[in-house]
Amino acid sequence: VIARAGGLTAQAFPKGGIFLREELKEREQQQIDALRQRLRGDVASLSLQAAGSLEGASVLDARSAGSSLLATLNSTEATGRLVIDLPALLEDPGNLKYDVLLKDGDRLLVPRFTQAVTVIGEVQFPTSHLYVDGLDRDGYIERSGGLTPNGAKKRIYLVRANGAVLANSSKWFRKGNKIEVGDTIVVPLDTQRGFRLQAWANITSDRCRRH
């Protein structure tokens, strides 16, 4: 299909290729709707706990964080993105390890080349920085002013340009692989302990990343 379209231009950024599929979008939307319903129940439960607990202030803080996450989830829409390795596919088009069997309605979006690395989340100045060869994750975070008091340092994760996610616990951090052009460094919110809101923060951050 790429060959039929005349191939990629000289300005193309294959690493940032976005592959979208309608049936995946429908499945994701169902999951988002289910998560939204469960989170509403959690926030309602926290409201009841705040009313009858001696530690009402901390419960109210957790409820406030949950309400914020719910608002974010309410504005999130499914994308139907499938993570693919477009450079590998182009290099070896006959290799079934990388190729994708196409279906009606599939879309492949190939952006222009970028020179940026983006830092978002709980940092002092969320923004994009000009890529510097050899600069590590913490170096880019430092260029964004460092973490805020609410930043979860142990839960920082990296989103590759193709949508792949590398977490703190992954082998990538232990191997020390370098930051690449088009990467996004995400610093999540350090949510209250003892509540399920930490899991909701992970889920919501992942959904927002896809946009």
Side-chain angles (χ1 to χ4, degrees), residues 14-92:
K15 286 186 177 180
I18 300 173
F19 186 87
L20 304 176
R21 175 163 288 172
E22 191 62 31
E23 69 177 37
L24 294 179
K25 181 178 180 179
E26 294 174 358
R27 188 184 308 167
E28 287 177 8
Q29 191 59 54
Q30 292 174 357
Q31 294 173 345
I32 290 174
D33 292 342
L35 292 171
R36 184 185 295 120
Q37 186 63 33
R38 291 172 58 188
L39 183 52
R40 285 198 187 102
D42 281 356
V43 172
S45 176
L46 288 170
S47 297
L48 292 176
Q49 290 183 42
S53 173
L54 295 177
E55 300 179 354
S58 61
V59 177
L60 284 173
D61 289 341
R63 185 188 67 176
S64 177
S67 298
S68 177
L69 293 172
L70 180 59
T72 303
L73 194 58
N74 284 336
S75 63
T76 300
E77 296 182 0
T79 61
R81 182 170 183 174
L82 177 68
V83 176
I84 65 172
D85 190 340
L86 185 56
L89 186 154
L90 294 171
E91 184 177 344
D92 189 7

Side-chain angles (χ1 to χ4, degrees), residues 160-176:
R160 290 295 196 196
N162 68 350
V165 178
L166 299 173
N168 250 339
S169 58
S170 71
K171 293 181 180 179
W172 181 87
F173 283 98
R174 293 195 291 272
K175 290 181 178 179

